[in-house]
Each structure stands twice: as C-alpha cells, then as structure tokens.
Amino acid sequence: MEALFQFVQIERSERLEQFISEKLDKLENKYDWIVKAQVYFKKQEGQDPKGFICNIKLSVPGPLIFAESNEESFEAAGAETIRDLEKQLAKKKGQMKTY
C-alpha cells in the first residue's frame, strides 16, 4: 500500500509518519485490498486543549473510506482515526461478496 503524508501549515515529522505507517501496515496485513492511504495532519488554533487533527482517506474497492479525529496530540488523533477506519473496514469486509 502506498501512503501519502501531508502536513498542513506545520512542519513535517518523521516520527509521526513512522507511527502512522506502522498502524497502517497492521491494517494492510489484515485487509490486503487497501490500495492507498492519504494522511493529513493539521493544527486548528483556538480549540484548546484539542485542535490536533488527523484525517485519513483509504482507497479501497468501491467508495473511499474516510475518518477524522480531533484530539490533544497528533499521536492520539492518529490512533483514534485508525480505530475508526478499522471499524469501517470490518463492516466493508462483511459486505464484500466472494465469487
């Protein structure tokens, strides 16, 4: 799976990319039909203590799967977003037909 990272008006972070990449790899091992992930990190001012936003779009067969979280850190937002995606992927897997 190809993972594209975008940091909106914040500095790029290797540590954050590595953290999310590991989580995405676990998803890919479980759901091998994920094609691509687009990960966006942004900081929204004025939402203390929250305001660290992570959203992820997954390219899969059929419509895109999308999740977004607003938490107290980028790591917490990324972990929550991954949990939301896993729920959606499990539901989609149950709906998929095997021929």
Side-chain angles (χ1 to χ4, degrees), residues 11-27:
E11 281 193 40
R12 183 172 177 259
S13 167
E14 289 283 336
R15 184 180 56 81
L16 199 51
E17 281 186 32
Q18 183 66 31
F19 175 74
I20 296 299
S21 291
E22 289 172 6
K23 300 262 186 200
L24 288 172
D25 287 343
K26 289 179 184 177
L27 278 184

Side-chain angles (χ1 to χ4, degrees), residues 3 8 23 25 27 32 38 40-42 45 48 53-54 56 64 68 70 74 77 79 83 88 94 97 99:
V8 180
K23 300 262 186 200
D25 287 343
L27 278 184
D32 62 347
Q38 294 176 300
Y40 299 89
F41 292 103
K42 55 188 166 187
E45 300 298 328
D48 292 330
I53 299 170
C54 173
I56 301 176
L64 288 174
E68 179 177 80
N70 183 354
F74 285 122
R83 278 192 292 275
Q88 292 181 49
K97 295 179 183 175
Y99 292 98

